[in-house]
Amino acid sequence: MQAYYFKSLPSTNDKAMELAHQLTTPEFSYVVAEEQTNGRGRNGNSWSSASGAGLYMSMILRPELPMELLPQLTLVAGVAMCEALNALPVLAGNNVGIKWPNDILLNGRKLAGILCEASLQGDSKAVIVGIGLNVKASQEQLPARVIYPATSLLIELGEASVKAIDTATLAETFAVSLKQRFLRYYSTHEIVSDWSKYDLLVDTQIKIDTPDAGVVEGVAAGITSAGELVIVDAAGDKQIITAGSIIK
Ligand code: BTN
């Protein structure tokens, strides 16, 4: 896998997109930056990306998949991240999980996020999978979040455990796990059962603010094969949620 390292970039997703449109850049190449000056999160949020405080990386995919199988790539990335994180010696005994659709939580707090972006330019089709992991960030360097507050490996595990973490090695570990998982998904088209092992919301009461149906409340009941969230409301009816933010 080809890796591109930068000291500073506006956003690794933007650089990966630029490289993806040079058709000679192989699939699974990835971009890592020590800092981002315009790190982007989901829903138009920014992603706090101070120098040396986190891992900021983006991988280039060129999936030959039908359109309806593309949205699940973000779930695949979530599973790959959880697997790689759970295998880290520093995290032994501290299980990470996923809050739908793709927030990676540790001890109920948000440790990492995934931003997938697709792009079509002439003959070049690419999906960029951007990963942000808070490694050595202090609480002051992270945004204040009311629900599922942001955290880092430093905050959760302490200085002694994170001292030895090297972001380039971490990036390689994630890249291997991501590539394996994407290749498997390209051939099986199946991710829901593995994703469900990391589902932190299942069987819990939640409230979600959705763009089309307003606030929906009920018990989370897993995801559909298309990666939508299923909620059983007070009347016992199933509600399928395609997008939204959990507010409780
Ligand atoms: C989220 O909002 O949870 C997704 C955050 C994704 C952040 C990463 S950091 C590397 C890549 N480059 C960006 O600008 N964003 C993603």
Side-chain angles (χ1 to χ4, degrees), residues 11-13 36 38-42 47 55-58 103 110 113-115 130-132:
S11 157
T12 55
N13 265 34
Q36 296 182 118
N38 189 24
R40 292 183 284 110
R42 287 175 51 240
W47 185 258
L55 172 67
Y56 320 113
M57 76 181 275
S58 302
D103 284 349
K110 180 163 171 175
I114 299 166
L115 177 68
I131 281 166

Side-chain angles (χ1 to χ4, degrees), residues 14-234:
D14 295 346
K15 177 53 86 177
M17 195 72 87
E18 191 187 311
L19 288 165
H21 290 308
Q22 296 163 11
L23 292 173
T24 47
T25 312
E27 182 169 31
F28 307 119
S29 297
Y30 59 96
V31 175
V32 180
E34 264 172 49
E35 71 162 3
Q36 296 182 118
T37 51
N38 189 24
R40 292 183 284 110
R42 287 175 51 240
N43 306 322
N45 293 322
S46 63
W47 185 258
S48 132
S49 310
S51 176
L55 172 67
Y56 320 113
M57 76 181 275
S58 302
M59 183 174 260
I60 297 169
L61 304 183
R62 302 190 186 282
E64 297 287 338
L65 291 171
M67 279 297 278
E68 67 274 15
L69 295 178
L70 294 181
Q72 290 86 316
L73 289 170
T74 179
L75 305 179
V76 179
V79 169
M81 288 278 290
C82 286
E83 286 173 343
L85 284 165
N86 281 336
L88 289 180
V90 286
L91 273 174
N94 284 272
N95 282 340
V96 295
I98 307 174
K99 176 182 76 69
W100 183 88
N102 52 16
D103 284 349
I104 311 289
L105 305 190
L106 173 61
N107 301 331
R109 294 185 273 266
K110 180 163 171 175
L111 179 69
I114 299 166
L115 177 68
C116 281
E117 296 176 305
S119 144
L120 192 64
Q121 221 181 70
D123 280 345
S124 130
K125 279 192 235 88
V127 173
I128 306 301
V129 182
I131 281 166
L133 169 73
N134 303 323
V135 182
K136 296 180 186 175
S138 63
Q139 201 69 67
E140 297 69 48
Q141 286 176 306
L142 296 170
R145 290 167 54 97
V146 180
I147 182 166
Y148 308 110
T151 196
S152 68
L153 291 176
L154 173 74
I155 297 165
E156 297 303 314
L157 308 174
E159 185 97 44
S161 308
V162 296
K163 214 170 43 209
I165 295 180
D166 163 55
T167 31
T169 314
L170 211 51
E172 256 176 67
T173 310
F174 284 126
V176 169
S177 177
L178 287 162
K179 181 179 175 181
Q180 262 174 13
R181 270 288 168 190
F182 287 124
L183 285 173
R184 194 181 320 170
Y185 180 68
Y186 289 176
S187 60
T188 62
H189 300 176
E190 208 315 290
I191 191 62
V192 174
S193 60
D194 284 331
W195 189 91
S196 302
K197 294 179 199 156
Y198 298 101
D199 184 357
L200 294 171
L201 296 182
V202 69
D203 295 335
T204 66
Q205 181 76 30
I206 59 165
K207 208 174 187 179
I208 181 160
D209 191 7
T210 71
D212 355 283
V215 173
V216 179
E217 217 171 326
V219 175
I223 58 172
T224 66
S225 59
E228 301 143 320
L229 179 67
V230 182
I231 294 185
V232 179
D233 66 18

